Amino acid sequence: MLRSTFAVVERRAEHAVTFFYAHLFWNNPAMRELFPEDMQPQRDRLFAALTHVVTHLESPGLPRYLGQLGRDHRKFLADPALYAAVGTSLLAAFAHAAGPAWNQEAEKAWAEAYGYVADLMMAGAEEAAEAGEPAWWDADVVRHERRRADLAVLTLRPRQPFPFLPGQYVSVSSPRVPRVWRTYSLADAPRPDGTVELHVSRIPGGVMSTALVAGTGPGETLRLSAPGGGLTARTEPGGLRTYICAGTGWAPVRALLSEAAEAEPELTGRLFMVARAKEYLYGREEAERLQKRLSSLSVTYITSAPGHRKDQATERLVQALRACVHWPAHDVYLTGPPGFLTEVAEVLEELGTDPYRIHQDTLQPVGRFTARPGTAAERLLGPPPPLWHNPGARAPREP
């Protein structure tokens, strides 16, 4: 019943989610202050989460996902009243969008399902609070380094101990862009001085990335959410591994390699660093320093040839991967833009890599939200891609 009803609603997803927020804010006007001014990313993420729940109803990992989601929602100041209001508006939106497919049986099924979801999310939030975890961490900017006009490396010092694992990501909020949170990977293993590093690429039209790259400076304060993500070291000592990163995907890979350099300097593996052009290939000096500490790590840099199209870099990477051997014996840590991840993961499986040994976190690029058609005519000529069909954006990969 849940899946069949959702299939009907999903065909009118834009309409349903607009109705949902209109209903929520009309009946709970004070709650509007909890949400950012630009609601488009929030709308897409709502359906991403709903799609993940509906497609993983029998998954043993669903309760863990929902607990983590509730823990993460503490940064939005979500309380039982908000969960109740969201449930009421969600059922109203589904009833409106589903039309004749909505009946008493569907309403009962969705009411029970939402109660289950809300209970697990609130339990996750309560567990985090009882463990002494703050809703967010205030972090002072101690260094801001521009690597390129559109790329910055920020060093932050959280005011409270900030526990995380190499390879994880964190949501960031800035007073320059109130109530907006964007996700970035942490770029190192935990440091003795407690600082953390973020690599931020400026996205055209992206309000947060623009604020962090072009506006933020030392002395300012940012907020960090609880860390999340499943791109953490899973390979047993002595196991073979391959790291493939594109763009700022270098950040989590650098964190994983920094951890390995301390714990397993005899690691045998290979690293592929990919960029759309030579001038976009950053982090080379850091990779060379890590290679000196990991003497059995081979490093390959791949870019498009001068004057060629940008996606040639991916083609050249695929050629290099096909020249490698022993793929069934390797764990692969894969980072970069979603389209890049999908294409490369398919090639890796063709080469014999076990799909469960391809580790990745898919983080949706904020830029896609700002590129949506703005008028009915534009939508007719070029309808926007249904972003909620990629629920892996915040979903943990099953171990």
Side-chain angles (χ1 to χ4, degrees):
M1 175 60 68
L2 295 175
R3 289 193 175 115
S4 63
T5 309
F6 190 70
V8 176
V9 173
E10 196 173 26
R11 290 196 289 269
R12 304 185 68 199
E14 286 276 3
H15 180 70
V17 77
T18 300
F19 185 97
F20 165 76
Y21 281 109
H23 187 280
L24 179 66
F25 297 149
W26 176 264
N27 291 281
N28 307 276
M31 290 183 179
R32 182 63 182 89
E33 297 181 359
L34 300 177
F35 293 82
E37 181 178 345
D38 179 10
M39 288 296 298
Q40 188 62 62
Q42 187 70 29
R43 291 170 180 153
D44 292 325
R45 288 166 183 166
L46 170 67
F47 257 81
L50 288 171
T51 304
H52 182 80
V53 170
V54 172
T55 55
H56 291 79
L57 291 173
E58 289 85 18
S59 170
L62 183 60
R64 178 169 58 88
Y65 167 74
L66 293 172
Q68 176 63 36
L69 198 62
R71 173 195 180 208
D72 186 62
H73 271 61
R74 293 181 66 217
K75 68 176 184 279
F76 298 120
L77 302 179
D79 59 13
L82 177 60
Y83 279 100
V86 165
T88 299
S89 294
L90 186 66
L91 264 63
F94 275 29
H96 184 75
W102 191 260
N103 53 34
Q104 288 186 344
E105 185 180 0
E107 183 170 356
K108 180 176 183 294
W110 274 101
E112 292 178 355
Y114 180 78
Y116 171 77
V117 168
D119 287 345
L120 286 174
M121 288 182 66
M122 287 189 285
E126 183 178 354
E127 182 179 346
E130 290 177 350
E133 182 178 291
W136 61 73
W137 282 257
D138 288 323
D140 299 315
V141 180
V142 297
R143 187 179 302 110
H144 184 282
E145 178 188 357
R146 293 287 285 270
R147 296 288 182 93
R148 296 192 311 262
D150 62 346
L151 178 69
V153 173
L154 283 73
T155 302
L156 314 177
R157 179 174 285 112
R159 296 176 182 175
Q160 296 176 257
F162 185 69
F164 69 94
L165 297 174
Q168 288 190 306
Y169 55 73
V170 64
S171 291
V172 179
S173 180
S174 167
R176 292 174 177 266
V177 194
R179 301 184 300 280
V180 173
W181 292 82
R182 295 291 183 264
T183 303
Y184 301 97
S185 293
L186 297 162
D188 214 335
R191 299 170 170 177
D193 64 359
T195 61
V196 296
E197 189 174 290
L198 304 177
H199 295 185
V200 183
S201 179
R202 184 175 180 176
I203 304 298
V207 292
M208 178 62 74
S209 64
T210 298
L212 294 178
V213 171
T216 303
E220 296 190 44
T221 301
L222 303 177
R223 287 178 173 177
L224 307 179
S225 74
L231 190 70
T232 53
R234 302 185 187 182
T235 309
E236 293 295 328
L240 302 176
R241 67 210 79 173
T242 296
Y243 303 89
I244 304 171
C245 60
T248 51
W250 164 239
V253 166
R254 196 188 87 167
L256 292 168
L257 289 172
S258 297
E259 178 186 41
E262 291 291 335
E264 194 181 354
E266 69 280 2
L267 174 151
T268 299
R270 46 207 184 198
L271 166 65
F272 296 89
M273 296 181 67
V274 186
R276 54 185 175 176
K278 186 177 181 180
E279 59 268 25
Y280 288 94
L281 186 64
Y282 83 103
R284 186 163 184 162
E285 293 182 0
E286 298 160 335
E288 290 172 354
R289 285 196 294 268
L290 285 166
Q291 188 179 23
K292 290 179 180 179
R293 300 172 61 190
L294 297 163
S295 58
S296 296
L297 177 72
S298 66
V299 181
T300 303
Y301 306 100
I302 295 177
T303 66
S304 298
H308 286 66
R309 65 186 190 282
K310 296 175 182 178
D311 61 354
Q312 189 200 39
T314 305
E315 296 176 1
R316 299 178 80 174
L317 169 67
V318 170
Q319 293 174 1
L321 297 181
R322 293 190 186 281
C324 296
V325 295
H326 305 308
W327 285 111
H330 276 246
D331 279 294
V332 180
Y333 296 85
L334 179 61
T335 65
F340 173 83
L341 299 185
T342 300
E343 184 174 352
V344 175
E346 291 176 355
V347 172
L348 290 170
E349 291 186 38
E350 292 174 7
L351 295 174
T353 309
D354 185 340
Y356 289 98
R357 299 182 72 174
I358 302 174
H359 312 301
Q360 57 182 300
D361 276 329
T362 305
L363 304 178
Q364 286 180 348
V366 176
R368 291 177 65 184
F369 300 129
T370 60
R372 285 175 167 260
T375 68
E378 289 174 333
R379 287 178 176 275
L380 179 63
L381 293 173
L387 301 184
W388 44 78
H389 286 288
N390 182 18
R394 295 301 302 275
R397 184 177 176 86
E398 297 295 338

mmCIF file of all heavy atoms in Angstrom, residues 115-159:
data_model
loop_
_atom_site.group_PDB
_atom_site.id
_atom_site.type_symbol
_atom_site.label_atom_id
_atom_site.label_comp_id
_atom_site.label_asym_id
_atom_site.label_seq_id
_atom_site.Cartn_x
_atom_site.Cartn_y
_atom_site.Cartn_z
ATOM 1 N N GLY A 115 4.347 7.334 11.901
ATOM 2 C CA GLY A 115 4.583 7.189 13.332
ATOM 3 C C GLY A 115 5.826 6.373 13.626
ATOM 4 O O GLY A 115 6.612 6.708 14.524
ATOM 5 N N TYR A 116 6.021 5.310 12.842
ATOM 6 C CA TYR A 116 7.217 4.472 12.984
ATOM 7 C C TYR A 116 8.476 5.281 12.674
ATOM 8 O O TYR A 116 9.464 5.241 13.427
ATOM 9 C CB TYR A 116 7.086 3.284 12.038
ATOM 10 C CG TYR A 116 8.308 2.416 11.896
ATOM 11 C CD1 TYR A 116 8.673 1.496 12.878
ATOM 12 C CD2 TYR A 116 9.096 2.489 10.739
ATOM 13 C CE1 TYR A 116 9.783 0.687 12.732
ATOM 14 C CE2 TYR A 116 10.211 1.684 10.578
ATOM 15 C CZ TYR A 116 10.552 0.784 11.576
ATOM 16 O OH TYR A 116 11.665 -0.006 11.420
ATOM 17 N N VAL A 117 8.438 6.033 11.568
ATOM 18 C CA VAL A 117 9.588 6.846 11.169
ATOM 19 C C VAL A 117 9.897 7.891 12.237
ATOM 20 O O VAL A 117 11.044 8.061 12.654
ATOM 21 C CB VAL A 117 9.314 7.518 9.813
ATOM 22 C CG1 VAL A 117 10.351 8.600 9.519
ATOM 23 C CG2 VAL A 117 9.313 6.483 8.695
ATOM 24 N N ALA A 118 8.868 8.619 12.682
ATOM 25 C CA ALA A 118 9.078 9.689 13.660
ATOM 26 C C ALA A 118 9.607 9.141 14.977
ATOM 27 O O ALA A 118 10.489 9.745 15.607
ATOM 28 C CB ALA A 118 7.766 10.443 13.885
ATOM 29 N N ASP A 119 9.082 7.995 15.404
ATOM 30 C CA ASP A 119 9.549 7.405 16.667
ATOM 31 C C ASP A 119 11.036 7.058 16.598
ATOM 32 O O ASP A 119 11.794 7.311 17.542
ATOM 33 C CB ASP A 119 8.742 6.149 17.002
ATOM 34 C CG ASP A 119 7.331 6.472 17.476
ATOM 35 O OD1 ASP A 119 7.074 7.647 17.814
ATOM 36 O OD2 ASP A 119 6.496 5.547 17.511
ATOM 37 N N LEU A 120 11.470 6.474 15.481
ATOM 38 C CA LEU A 120 12.878 6.099 15.353
ATOM 39 C C LEU A 120 13.771 7.338 15.244
ATOM 40 O O LEU A 120 14.880 7.365 15.786
ATOM 41 C CB LEU A 120 13.071 5.201 14.135
ATOM 42 C CG LEU A 120 12.564 3.759 14.295
ATOM 43 C CD1 LEU A 120 12.675 3.005 12.982
ATOM 44 C CD2 LEU A 120 13.337 3.030 15.394
ATOM 45 N N MET A 121 13.301 8.358 14.549
ATOM 46 C CA MET A 121 14.090 9.578 14.441
ATOM 47 C C MET A 121 14.220 10.263 15.794
ATOM 48 O O MET A 121 15.310 10.699 16.191
ATOM 49 C CB MET A 121 13.459 10.521 13.416
ATOM 50 C CG MET A 121 13.610 10.068 11.975
ATOM 51 S SD MET A 121 12.892 11.234 10.775
ATOM 52 C CE MET A 121 13.970 12.661 11.000
ATOM 53 N N MET A 122 13.117 10.356 16.528
ATOM 54 C CA MET A 122 13.179 10.991 17.844
ATOM 55 C C MET A 122 14.013 10.161 18.818
ATOM 56 O O MET A 122 14.708 10.715 19.679
ATOM 57 C CB MET A 122 11.772 11.220 18.388
ATOM 58 C CG MET A 122 11.033 12.356 17.681
ATOM 59 S SD MET A 122 9.468 12.831 18.459
ATOM 60 C CE MET A 122 8.431 11.453 17.962
ATOM 61 N N ALA A 123 13.966 8.826 18.681
ATOM 62 C CA ALA A 123 14.802 7.980 19.527
ATOM 63 C C ALA A 123 16.278 8.224 19.234
ATOM 64 O O ALA A 123 17.106 8.274 20.154
ATOM 65 C CB ALA A 123 14.448 6.512 19.310
ATOM 66 N N GLY A 124 16.631 8.386 17.941
ATOM 67 C CA GLY A 124 18.008 8.689 17.590
ATOM 68 C C GLY A 124 18.458 10.018 18.153
ATOM 69 O O GLY A 124 19.586 10.159 18.645
ATOM 70 N N ALA A 125 17.573 11.007 18.094
ATOM 71 C CA ALA A 125 17.896 12.319 18.645
ATOM 72 C C ALA A 125 18.062 12.259 20.159
ATOM 73 O O ALA A 125 18.984 12.859 20.728
ATOM 74 C CB ALA A 125 16.799 13.312 18.272
ATOM 75 N N GLU A 126 17.173 11.520 20.802
ATOM 76 C CA GLU A 126 17.243 11.410 22.267
ATOM 77 C C GLU A 126 18.506 10.679 22.698
ATOM 78 O O GLU A 126 19.155 11.056 23.681
ATOM 79 C CB GLU A 126 16.000 10.677 22.776
ATOM 80 C CG GLU A 126 15.929 10.574 24.289
ATOM 81 C CD GLU A 126 14.667 9.892 24.776
ATOM 82 O OE1 GLU A 126 13.781 9.596 23.934
ATOM 83 O OE2 GLU A 126 14.551 9.652 25.983
ATOM 84 N N GLU A 127 18.860 9.654 21.959
ATOM 85 C CA GLU A 127 20.082 8.904 22.281
ATOM 86 C C GLU A 127 21.316 9.801 22.181
ATOM 87 O O GLU A 127 22.207 9.755 23.033
ATOM 88 C CB GLU A 127 20.220 7.710 21.342
ATOM 89 C CG GLU A 127 21.430 6.832 21.623
ATOM 90 C CD GLU A 127 21.524 5.647 20.683
ATOM 91 O OE1 GLU A 127 20.522 5.357 19.991
ATOM 92 O OE2 GLU A 127 22.607 5.021 20.630
ATOM 93 N N ALA A 128 21.364 10.627 21.148
ATOM 94 C CA ALA A 128 22.489 11.541 20.986
ATOM 95 C C ALA A 128 22.532 12.559 22.113
ATOM 96 O O ALA A 128 23.603 12.885 22.645
ATOM 97 C CB ALA A 128 22.391 12.246 19.634
ATOM 98 N N ALA A 129 21.364 13.078 22.498
ATOM 99 C CA ALA A 129 21.312 14.062 23.577
ATOM 100 C C ALA A 129 21.748 13.447 24.904
ATOM 101 O O ALA A 129 22.493 14.062 25.679
ATOM 102 C CB ALA A 129 19.901 14.633 23.687
ATOM 103 N N GLU A 130 21.309 12.220 25.162
ATOM 104 C CA GLU A 130 21.683 11.547 26.409
ATOM 105 C C GLU A 130 23.172 11.250 26.461
ATOM 106 O O GLU A 130 23.775 11.189 27.542
ATOM 107 C CB GLU A 130 20.879 10.253 26.561
ATOM 108 C CG GLU A 130 19.395 10.489 26.846
ATOM 109 C CD GLU A 130 18.621 9.194 26.927
ATOM 110 O OE1 GLU A 130 19.203 8.124 26.563
ATOM 111 O OE2 GLU A 130 17.447 9.215 27.343
ATOM 112 N N ALA A 131 23.787 11.067 25.286
ATOM 113 C CA ALA A 131 25.230 10.819 25.231
ATOM 114 C C ALA A 131 26.036 12.108 25.376
ATOM 115 O O ALA A 131 27.269 12.077 25.360
ATOM 116 C CB ALA A 131 25.588 10.123 23.918
ATOM 117 N N GLY A 132 25.341 13.238 25.526
ATOM 118 C CA GLY A 132 26.029 14.511 25.700
ATOM 119 C C GLY A 132 26.434 15.183 24.403
ATOM 120 O O GLY A 132 27.197 16.154 24.415
ATOM 121 N N GLU A 133 25.907 14.702 23.278
ATOM 122 C CA GLU A 133 26.270 15.285 21.986
ATOM 123 C C GLU A 133 25.480 16.570 21.760
ATOM 124 O O GLU A 133 24.246 16.567 21.869
ATOM 125 C CB GLU A 133 25.971 14.282 20.873
ATOM 126 C CG GLU A 133 26.339 14.750 19.486
ATOM 127 C CD GLU A 133 26.054 13.686 18.444
ATOM 128 O OE1 GLU A 133 26.760 12.656 18.435
ATOM 129 O OE2 GLU A 133 25.105 13.879 17.647
ATOM 130 N N PRO A 134 26.130 17.663 21.451
ATOM 131 C CA PRO A 134 25.391 18.906 21.204
ATOM 132 C C PRO A 134 24.609 18.843 19.901
ATOM 133 O O PRO A 134 24.876 17.994 19.041
ATOM 134 C CB PRO A 134 26.495 19.965 21.135
ATOM 135 C CG PRO A 134 27.711 19.215 20.716
ATOM 136 C CD PRO A 134 27.589 17.843 21.314
ATOM 137 N N ALA A 135 23.640 19.735 19.748
ATOM 138 C CA ALA A 135 22.879 19.787 18.502
ATOM 139 C C ALA A 135 23.781 20.207 17.353
ATOM 140 O O ALA A 135 23.553 19.832 16.205
ATOM 141 C CB ALA A 135 21.712 20.757 18.642
ATOM 142 N N TRP A 136 24.794 21.034 17.635
ATOM 143 C CA TRP A 136 25.821 21.415 16.677
ATOM 144 C C TRP A 136 27.052 21.857 17.441
ATOM 145 O O TRP A 136 27.012 22.081 18.655
ATOM 146 C CB TRP A 136 25.336 22.527 15.739
ATOM 147 C CG TRP A 136 24.954 23.799 16.440
ATOM 148 C CD1 TRP A 136 25.783 24.721 17.026
ATOM 149 C CD2 TRP A 136 23.622 24.271 16.673
ATOM 150 N NE1 TRP A 136 25.071 25.733 17.595
ATOM 151 C CE2 TRP A 136 23.738 25.495 17.376
ATOM 152 C CE3 TRP A 136 22.348 23.799 16.328
ATOM 153 C CZ2 TRP A 136 22.621 26.226 17.766
ATOM 154 C CZ3 TRP A 136 21.247 24.534 16.705
ATOM 155 C CH2 TRP A 136 21.388 25.734 17.417
ATOM 156 N N TRP A 137 28.156 21.956 16.740
ATOM 157 C CA TRP A 137 29.411 22.419 17.317
ATOM 158 C C TRP A 137 29.743 23.799 16.735
ATOM 159 O O TRP A 137 29.771 23.959 15.506
ATOM 160 C CB TRP A 137 30.556 21.462 16.981
ATOM 161 C CG TRP A 137 30.618 20.217 17.792
ATOM 162 C CD1 TRP A 137 31.466 19.936 18.823
ATOM 163 C CD2 TRP A 137 29.832 19.019 17.612
ATOM 164 N NE1 TRP A 137 31.252 18.668 19.317
ATOM 165 C CE2 TRP A 137 30.245 18.083 18.582
ATOM 166 C CE3 TRP A 137 28.802 18.672 16.732
ATOM 167 C CZ2 TRP A 137 29.689 16.821 18.692
ATOM 168 C CZ3 TRP A 137 28.229 17.421 16.840
ATOM 169 C CH2 TRP A 137 28.674 16.502 17.806
ATOM 170 N N ASP A 138 29.979 24.785 17.587
ATOM 171 C CA ASP A 138 30.518 26.058 17.109
ATOM 172 C C ASP A 138 32.010 25.872 16.837
ATOM 173 O O ASP A 138 32.739 25.286 17.648
ATOM 174 C CB ASP A 138 30.314 27.161 18.152
ATOM 175 C CG ASP A 138 28.857 27.590 18.251
ATOM 176 O OD1 ASP A 138 28.186 27.630 17.209
ATOM 177 O OD2 ASP A 138 28.390 27.867 19.371
ATOM 178 N N ALA A 139 32.462 26.372 15.693
ATOM 179 C CA ALA A 139 33.865 26.210 15.297
ATOM 180 C C ALA A 139 34.400 27.535 14.770
ATOM 181 O O ALA A 139 33.768 28.177 13.925
ATOM 182 C CB ALA A 139 33.998 25.126 14.230
ATOM 183 N N ASP A 140 35.547 27.951 15.276
ATOM 184 C CA ASP A 140 36.175 29.196 14.851
ATOM 185 C C ASP A 140 37.047 28.955 13.617
ATOM 186 O O ASP A 140 37.781 27.957 13.544
ATOM 187 C CB ASP A 140 37.039 29.772 15.971
ATOM 188 C CG ASP A 140 36.222 30.101 17.211
ATOM 189 O OD1 ASP A 140 35.140 30.697 17.060
ATOM 190 O OD2 ASP A 140 36.660 29.749 18.328
ATOM 191 N N VAL A 141 36.960 29.853 12.661
ATOM 192 C CA VAL A 141 37.817 29.784 11.468
ATOM 193 C C VAL A 141 39.196 30.327 11.846
ATOM 194 O O VAL A 141 39.330 31.489 12.227
ATOM 195 C CB VAL A 141 37.223 30.611 10.308
ATOM 196 C CG1 VAL A 141 38.129 30.529 9.081
ATOM 197 C CG2 VAL A 141 35.813 30.126 9.973
ATOM 198 N N VAL A 142 40.216 29.481 11.770
ATOM 199 C CA VAL A 142 41.573 29.910 12.125
ATOM 200 C C VAL A 142 42.440 30.144 10.888
ATOM 201 O O VAL A 142 43.482 30.809 10.971
ATOM 202 C CB VAL A 142 42.249 28.886 13.060
ATOM 203 C CG1 VAL A 142 41.499 28.787 14.375
ATOM 204 C CG2 VAL A 142 42.355 27.509 12.412
ATOM 205 N N ARG A 143 42.016 29.605 9.737
ATOM 206 C CA ARG A 143 42.782 29.826 8.504
ATOM 207 C C ARG A 143 41.848 29.694 7.303
ATOM 208 O O ARG A 143 40.953 28.846 7.287
ATOM 209 C CB ARG A 143 43.921 28.819 8.384
ATOM 210 C CG ARG A 143 44.877 29.098 7.211
ATOM 211 C CD ARG A 143 46.020 28.074 7.164
ATOM 212 N NE ARG A 143 46.793 28.060 8.392
ATOM 213 C CZ ARG A 143 46.789 27.072 9.279
ATOM 214 N NH1 ARG A 143 46.062 25.989 9.050
ATOM 215 N NH2 ARG A 143 47.531 27.129 10.362
ATOM 216 N N HIS A 144 42.055 30.563 6.318
ATOM 217 C CA HIS A 144 41.279 30.519 5.081
ATOM 218 C C HIS A 144 42.257 30.686 3.923
ATOM 219 O O HIS A 144 42.849 31.739 3.736
ATOM 220 C CB HIS A 144 40.232 31.641 5.061
ATOM 221 C CG HIS A 144 39.333 31.607 3.848
ATOM 222 N ND1 HIS A 144 39.734 32.072 2.608
ATOM 223 C CD2 HIS A 144 38.063 31.165 3.692
ATOM 224 C CE1 HIS A 144 38.734 31.917 1.743
ATOM 225 N NE2 HIS A 144 37.718 31.378 2.369
ATOM 226 N N GLU A 145 42.442 29.615 3.158
ATOM 227 C CA GLU A 145 43.428 29.606 2.080
ATOM 228 C C GLU A 145 42.734 29.420 0.742
ATOM 229 O O GLU A 145 42.043 28.429 0.521
ATOM 230 C CB GLU A 145 44.435 28.472 2.312
ATOM 231 C CG GLU A 145 45.485 28.350 1.226
ATOM 232 C CD GLU A 145 46.336 27.102 1.393
ATOM 233 O OE1 GLU A 145 46.145 26.371 2.391
ATOM 234 O OE2 GLU A 145 47.173 26.857 0.512
ATOM 235 N N ARG A 146 42.923 30.372 -0.166
ATOM 236 C CA ARG A 146 42.361 30.249 -1.511
ATOM 237 C C ARG A 146 43.338 29.459 -2.377
ATOM 238 O O ARG A 146 44.443 29.922 -2.677
ATOM 239 C CB ARG A 146 42.115 31.634 -2.121
ATOM 240 C CG ARG A 146 41.031 32.442 -1.437
ATOM 241 C CD ARG A 146 39.634 31.925 -1.725
ATOM 242 N NE ARG A 146 39.183 32.259 -3.071
ATOM 243 C CZ ARG A 146 38.528 33.368 -3.377
ATOM 244 N NH1 ARG A 146 38.265 34.270 -2.444
ATOM 245 N NH2 ARG A 146 38.119 33.586 -4.609
ATOM 246 N N ARG A 147 42.944 28.281 -2.808
ATOM 247 C CA ARG A 147 43.770 27.478 -3.702
ATOM 248 C C ARG A 147 43.589 27.905 -5.159
ATOM 249 O O ARG A 147 44.495 27.811 -5.961
ATOM 250 C CB ARG A 147 43.425 25.998 -3.552
ATOM 251 C CG ARG A 147 43.725 25.417 -2.179
ATOM 252 C CD ARG A 147 45.221 25.258 -1.955
ATOM 253 N NE ARG A 147 45.505 24.668 -0.665
ATOM 254 C CZ ARG A 147 45.670 23.354 -0.452
ATOM 255 N NH1 ARG A 147 45.546 22.509 -1.480
ATOM 256 N NH2 ARG A 147 45.943 22.907 0.749
ATOM 257 N N ARG A 148 42.349 28.324 -5.469
ATOM 258 C CA ARG A 148 42.018 28.883 -6.775
ATOM 259 C C ARG A 148 40.934 29.919 -6.532
ATOM 260 O O ARG A 148 40.459 30.092 -5.411
ATOM 261 C CB ARG A 148 41.461 27.799 -7.719
ATOM 262 C CG ARG A 148 42.404 26.698 -8.089
ATOM 263 C CD ARG A 148 41.813 25.877 -9.254
ATOM 264 N NE ARG A 148 40.429 25.493 -9.026
ATOM 265 C CZ ARG A 148 40.034 24.309 -8.568
ATOM 266 N NH1 ARG A 148 40.928 23.387 -8.255
ATOM 267 N NH2 ARG A 148 38.754 24.023 -8.403
ATOM 268 N N ALA A 149 40.517 30.587 -7.584
ATOM 269 C CA ALA A 149 39.455 31.578 -7.418
ATOM 270 C C ALA A 149 38.172 30.937 -6.916
ATOM 271 O O ALA A 149 37.384 31.573 -6.205
ATOM 272 C CB ALA A 149 39.198 32.305 -8.739
ATOM 273 N N ASP A 150 37.966 29.648 -7.263
ATOM 274 C CA ASP A 150 36.725 28.978 -6.883
ATOM 275 C C ASP A 150 36.944 27.859 -5.873
ATOM 276 O O ASP A 150 36.067 27.009 -5.690
ATOM 277 C CB ASP A 150 36.037 28.410 -8.130
ATOM 278 C CG ASP A 150 36.890 27.358 -8.832
ATOM 279 O OD1 ASP A 150 38.093 27.262 -8.520
ATOM 280 O OD2 ASP A 150 36.359 26.631 -9.697
ATOM 281 N N LEU A 151 38.079 27.829 -5.196
ATOM 282 C CA LEU A 151 38.372 26.758 -4.243
ATOM 283 C C LEU A 151 39.073 27.317 -3.016
ATOM 284 O O LEU A 151 40.038 28.082 -3.146
ATOM 285 C CB LEU A 151 39.245 25.687 -4.899
ATOM 286 C CG LEU A 151 39.676 24.525 -3.993
ATOM 287 C CD1 LEU A 151 38.479 23.651 -3.640
ATOM 288 C CD2 LEU A 151 40.755 23.682 -4.670
ATOM 289 N N ALA A 152 38.584 26.950 -1.853
ATOM 290 C CA ALA A 152 39.198 27.397 -0.597
ATOM 291 C C ALA A 152 39.346 26.224 0.356
ATOM 292 O O ALA A 152 38.540 25.289 0.355
ATOM 293 C CB ALA A 152 38.361 28.500 0.047
ATOM 294 N N VAL A 153 40.393 26.293 1.162
ATOM 295 C CA VAL A 153 40.613 25.329 2.236
ATOM 296 C C VAL A 153 40.460 26.079 3.545
ATOM 297 O O VAL A 153 41.167 27.052 3.805
ATOM 298 C CB VAL A 153 42.005 24.683 2.133
ATOM 299 C CG1 VAL A 153 42.271 23.806 3.352
ATOM 300 C CG2 VAL A 153 42.116 23.861 0.856
ATOM 301 N N LEU A 154 39.510 25.629 4.378
ATOM 302 C CA LEU A 154 39.233 26.278 5.653
ATOM 303 C C LEU A 154 39.694 25.379 6.790
ATOM 304 O O LEU A 154 39.360 24.187 6.825
ATOM 305 C CB LEU A 154 37.741 26.565 5.820
ATOM 306 C CG LEU A 154 37.146 27.746 5.056
ATOM 307 C CD1 LEU A 154 37.037 27.439 3.569
ATOM 308 C CD2 LEU A 154 35.779 28.105 5.606
ATOM 309 N N THR A 155 40.450 25.947 7.706
ATOM 310 C CA THR A 155 40.840 25.235 8.919
ATOM 311 C C THR A 155 40.000 25.782 10.074
ATOM 312 O O THR A 155 39.972 26.996 10.308
ATOM 313 C CB THR A 155 42.331 25.420 9.226
ATOM 314 O OG1 THR A 155 43.094 24.962 8.100
ATOM 315 C CG2 THR A 155 42.728 24.617 10.455
ATOM 316 N N LEU A 156 39.311 24.884 10.767
ATOM 317 C CA LEU A 156 38.390 25.263 11.836
ATOM 318 C C LEU A 156 38.829 24.644 13.150
ATOM 319 O O LEU A 156 39.386 23.542 13.182
ATOM 320 C CB LEU A 156 36.971 24.792 11.507
ATOM 321 C CG LEU A 156 36.435 25.056 10.095
ATOM 322 C CD1 LEU A 156 35.056 24.443 9.941
ATOM 323 C CD2 LEU A 156 36.388 26.541 9.816
ATOM 324 N N ARG A 157 38.550 25.343 14.246
ATOM 325 C CA ARG A 157 38.816 24.788 15.575
ATOM 326 C C ARG A 157 37.501 24.731 16.354
ATOM 327 O O ARG A 157 37.010 25.753 16.855
ATOM 328 C CB ARG A 157 39.832 25.641 16.340
ATOM 329 C CG ARG A 157 40.111 25.090 17.755
ATOM 330 C CD ARG A 157 41.214 25.830 18.476
ATOM 331 N NE ARG A 157 42.521 25.478 17.947
ATOM 332 C CZ ARG A 157 43.296 26.314 17.265
ATOM 333 N NH1 ARG A 157 42.883 27.552 17.021
ATOM 334 N NH2 ARG A 157 44.484 25.933 16.832
ATOM 335 N N PRO A 158 36.878 23.547 16.442
ATOM 336 C CA PRO A 158 35.646 23.425 17.231
ATOM 337 C C PRO A 158 35.907 23.781 18.696
ATOM 338 O O PRO A 158 36.966 23.475 19.250
ATOM 339 C CB PRO A 158 35.279 21.947 17.078
ATOM 340 C CG PRO A 158 35.948 21.517 15.805
ATOM 341 C CD PRO A 158 37.238 22.293 15.766
ATOM 342 N N ARG A 159 34.923 24.432 19.316
ATOM 343 C CA ARG A 159 35.092 24.857 20.702
ATOM 344 C C ARG A 159 34.893 23.724 21.689
ATOM 345 O O ARG A 159 35.243 23.853 22.862
ATOM 346 C CB ARG A 159 34.099 25.994 21.003
ATOM 347 C CG ARG A 159 34.374 27.251 20.171
ATOM 348 C CD ARG A 159 33.333 28.318 20.423
ATOM 349 N NE ARG A 159 33.573 29.486 19.586
ATOM 350 C CZ ARG A 159 32.767 30.536 19.523
ATOM 351 N NH1 ARG A 159 31.643 30.552 20.267
ATOM 352 N NH2 ARG A 159 33.050 31.560 18.734
#
